[in-house]
Amino acid sequence: MKKTFKTIVSFILIGVFAACFAACSGGTKVYVPEPGKLDIAGMATRIFNECKFDDTGLAASPNPEFTVCTVYGVDAALIAGEDGAKRVACYTASATPEMIICLEAVDAAAAQKIGGETITSLIATYINDYTNYGPEQVDKLKTHVCIINGTYLIAIVSADNTAAREFANKLLIEG
């Protein structure tokens, strides 16, 4: 019985993935920004100014490399650098899990690793922690934004993640 159920679920998942792949490979050219061209700090500031956040204590980190690497667990070796400074900006909150992370990774694989592993793990930890501490925060964590385009990554937890996702996509296209 268990094996049959697992087999059925496996085929359903394969079908879903195949449908997603077919839908995503429609031949539409996707804009991928050139490495080193986007203003990372400017993007984070625009997200802060244009998106909705509940935590009035959300503020730019004075040392974004330290915050992103030490607090959020991103491997510093995966973040692109320029003139001795990492291409990263972040805003952190004081009483909620709301955050903004904008960074440029050393390459597209590093961006995928940061988004797929580090951000995913961070959000899972926050969901576990906030389930007891602040359950009203869990929905915004479950719908968090993590967009990767080429070497760029934007991760957001906001009061309106749908609008934040649209805005972040716009930023990655407009620059």
Side-chain angles (χ1 to χ4, degrees):
M1 180 74 168
K2 281 185 180 180
K3 187 173 183 176
T4 303
F5 178 73
K6 286 181 181 179
T7 303
I8 291 170
V9 170
S10 295
F11 281 117
I12 290 170
L13 288 174
I14 289 170
V16 169
F17 286 129
C20 289
F21 178 74
C24 292
S25 62
T28 303
K29 185 166 173 74
V30 176
Y31 172 74
V32 178
E34 219 178 293
K37 294 296 180 189
L38 296 183
D39 176 5
I40 300 296
M43 288 192 314
T45 300
R46 287 184 66 194
I47 292 166
F48 174 75
N49 289 330
E50 298 293 329
C51 296
K52 183 178 183 219
F53 295 93
D54 291 332
D55 194 326
T56 57
L58 188 71
S61 172
N63 187 343
E65 181 181 348
F66 174 83
T67 302
V68 169
C69 297
T70 305
V71 178
Y72 295 147
V74 174
D75 181 352
L78 299 177
I79 302 173
E82 180 176 270
D83 299 325
K86 296 291 185 180
R87 291 188 40 81
V88 60
C90 75
Y91 282 69
T92 59
S94 57
T96 70
E98 292 180 335
M99 70 172 110
I100 303 166
I101 300 172
C102 295
L103 63 79
E104 182 178 351
V106 293
D107 57 31
Q112 290 293 332
K113 182 178 175 89
I114 293 167
E117 293 177 18
T118 309
I119 300 299
T120 300
S121 176
L122 173 68
I123 296 297
T125 299
Y126 275 8
I127 288 172
N128 183 57
D129 293 347
Y130 277 90
T131 297
N132 296 319
Y133 169 73
E136 71 282 354
Q137 301 296 321
V138 173
D139 283 342
K140 68 174 78 169
L141 286 162
K142 288 181 177 177
T143 62
H144 74 280
V145 176
C146 187
I147 300 170
I148 301 164
N149 191 351
T151 59
Y152 296 94
L153 177 138
I154 297 176
I156 307 167
V157 176
S158 74
D160 185 351
N161 287 327
T162 301
R165 182 174 284 104
E166 290 174 18
F167 189 75
N169 274 320
K170 181 180 163 186
L171 284 177
L172 286 173
I173 291 170
E174 292 177 356

